[in-house]
Amino acid sequence: MDFGKLFLKVVDVAKDYLDNAQKDAQPTRQAQPAPRHVEPVVEKEKTPAEWEAYFREILTSEFSEYSIREKVPVTDLVGYANDEFQIYHTRPCQAYKAEWGQPYTFVLENDGKAKAVVMLGNGHSHDSNVKYLIARVYAEKSGLPYINFYTQMTNERNYVIGRIRKFLN
């Protein structure tokens, strides 16, 4: 064998060795499984009636020591009060009437006396709607805890129970 042929064989062996070394150095790719079609879980928004039923069930089962009244006008708790107080910074003294307040979604009573109010509202109605603000002020003036829940939130059962218990204690 002459030197040229020997040299070409050594070069071929070296190339084979380098190719195999590169293949071993690269991570082996596993075949990806075919993508599965998964239906997204779309949570259906509850209607106001469904929210009221959900809270009614929680209140009656978890707070059985209280009687529950629904959609109670503010005037049922404070009478036809006509008062001046500040709701907005731009109007420090404005007259408000209790009859203008949003009816309380639920009132918890014990021994014939109101102990707390629970309000359900959509969006930020509790913070921006004057009817809710009037109802809140009159509840506070009466010494009643005003417990509000936003219906665009999940309001998981344990959260609702814990929050109401916190206000009642």
Side-chain angles (χ1 to χ4, degrees):
M1 204 184 298
D2 74 7
F3 182 71
K5 287 185 181 180
L6 181 64
F7 180 72
L8 289 176
K9 279 202 174 228
V10 169
V11 169
D12 285 342
V13 169
K15 280 185 182 178
D16 287 342
Y17 176 77
L18 288 175
D19 287 344
N20 287 336
Q22 283 181 343
K23 286 180 186 176
D24 291 342
Q26 290 180 351
T28 57
R29 294 186 183 230
Q30 295 179 349
Q32 291 184 348
R36 295 184 317 179
H37 180 68
V38 177
E39 289 292 324
V41 177
V42 177
E43 204 166 303
K44 180 186 144 244
E45 286 190 33
K46 294 180 183 174
T47 65
E50 290 172 325
W51 276 115
E52 289 173 10
Y54 174 71
F55 273 84
R56 183 182 310 110
E57 189 279 321
I58 290 174
L59 293 171
T60 55
S61 65
E62 297 294 328
F63 301 94
S64 57
E65 66 271 22
Y66 296 95
S67 59
I68 311 297
R69 288 180 40 205
E70 297 184 41
K71 297 181 183 170
V72 179
V74 176
T75 55
D76 280 10
L77 297 183
V78 299
Y80 284 90
N82 187 6
D83 207 349
E84 283 190 4
F85 47 85
Q86 181 177 358
I87 289 182
Y88 300 106
H89 295 292
T90 57
R91 297 182 223 148
C93 289
Q94 171 112 13
Y96 295 100
K97 294 182 179 183
E99 62 198 69
W100 297 344
Q102 178 72 24
Y104 300 115
T105 312
F106 299 100
V107 175
L108 286 80
E109 296 180 336
N110 194 345
D111 296 329
K113 294 183 182 178
K115 300 296 181 184
V117 297
V118 175
M119 289 291 277
L120 303 181
N122 192 343
H124 290 285
S125 57
H126 299 255
D127 299 329
S128 61
N129 187 328
V130 72
K131 289 181 168 201
Y132 283 94
L133 296 172
I134 291 171
R136 174 182 227 140
V137 168
Y138 279 111
E140 291 170 355
K141 283 180 174 260
S142 300
L144 298 173
Y146 179 94
I147 312 163
N148 60 332
F149 293 93
Y150 297 120
T151 56
Q152 79 271 18
M153 305 303 258
T154 57
N155 290 312
E156 293 177 5
R157 185 179 182 87
N158 288 336
Y159 169 75
V160 171
I161 294 167
R163 190 148 180 263
I164 293 173
R165 285 198 197 286
K166 180 180 125 190
F167 275 92
L168 291 174
N169 291 333

